[in-house]
Amino acid sequence: MGEIAERIEQLRLSALDCRGCELCETRTNVVFGEGNPETPLIVIGEGPGQNEDATGRPFVGRAGQLLDQALKENNLSRKHVYIMNVIKCRACITENGRTRNRPPSTAEINACSHWLEKQVAIIQPLVVLCLGAPAANAIIHRDFRMTQERGQFFETKYARHAIAALHPAYILRQDGETYELTRRQLVEDIGAARRKVIEAKKEPNMTLF
Ligand code: URA
């Protein structure tokens, strides 16, 4: 294992015991992140849902399948990128015996942010791709306006280049032409992130990943 992978693994092992907020009471698994820790491209979602909580792996439900397809349409896979979330444990609410996802609170996001900061500090990506407004709010700037600002690059403290794309779960809730359009936008924004990596490395070839 390389040095970066080893440091990420050490960090993952310490995150598994995290009791930094009350989400530790209801989680099944900490969803730390996975992929290639030597990558120049990190993909960041909001937080684990039911499937991710059950498996301990990010983006493994339907949204994850769409993400995998959109990566594939750009000749990328999970071996090329590192995928993680802003929060590492599922935020959920149980009502009448049914459990559903809820947006994480600001306090939960703040309590978890040191894990993300450490992950990014170890990986040192050239480009961060945020999926959805909550990730863009955490990484790019507060009050991120997805409709106007998706697909644009911003300089951030996490990476020289950060871009936001529509969240695959949002795309899956669209119908017909809107579904096709938003899906295409996701593929395009991943493509833009990929090209930015190549540009940032100043090596205009496709063998970098
Ligand atoms: N949605 C997210 O934001 N992250 C996941 O890991 C799964 C779904």
Side-chain angles (χ1 to χ4, degrees), residues 1-119:
M1 201 187 280
E3 194 212 317
I4 294 176
E6 221 161 82
R7 289 172 64 203
I8 280 288
E9 179 57 10
Q10 286 307 318
L11 189 65
R12 187 184 76 82
L13 293 175
S14 40
L16 298 185
D17 298 326
C18 182
R19 304 199 66 78
C21 77
E22 69 278 12
L23 296 183
C24 68
E25 308 289 347
T26 49
R27 75 177 175 226
T28 310
N29 285 295
V30 172
V31 183
F32 179 74
E34 69 176 30
N36 179 356
E38 315 232 347
T39 184
L41 176 57
I42 291 185
V43 179
I44 305 187
E46 177 178 4
Q50 184 181 12
N51 296 298
E52 292 76 21
D53 177 61
T55 58
R57 298 184 55 213
F59 281 97
V60 291
R62 284 181 67 225
Q65 286 166 18
L66 177 54
L67 174 61
D68 286 338
Q69 288 165 10
L71 286 169
K72 193 163 175 216
E73 288 177 35
N74 282 289
N75 292 320
L76 295 173
S77 76
R78 287 179 189 238
K79 281 191 262 170
H80 300 113
V81 301
Y82 193 88
I83 302 181
M84 62 182 178
N85 285 301
V86 171
I87 60 160
K88 311 302 183 201
C89 299
R90 184 186 184 197
C92 57
I93 183 161
T94 303
E95 277 170 343
N96 306 322
R98 289 195 53 165
T99 303
R100 59 178 170 79
N101 296 340
R102 63 163 174 80
S105 68
T106 305
E108 288 159 352
I109 292 173
N110 290 343
C112 207
S113 63
H114 69 107
W115 294 117
L116 181 142
E117 281 169 18
K118 287 173 187 145
Q119 284 172 299

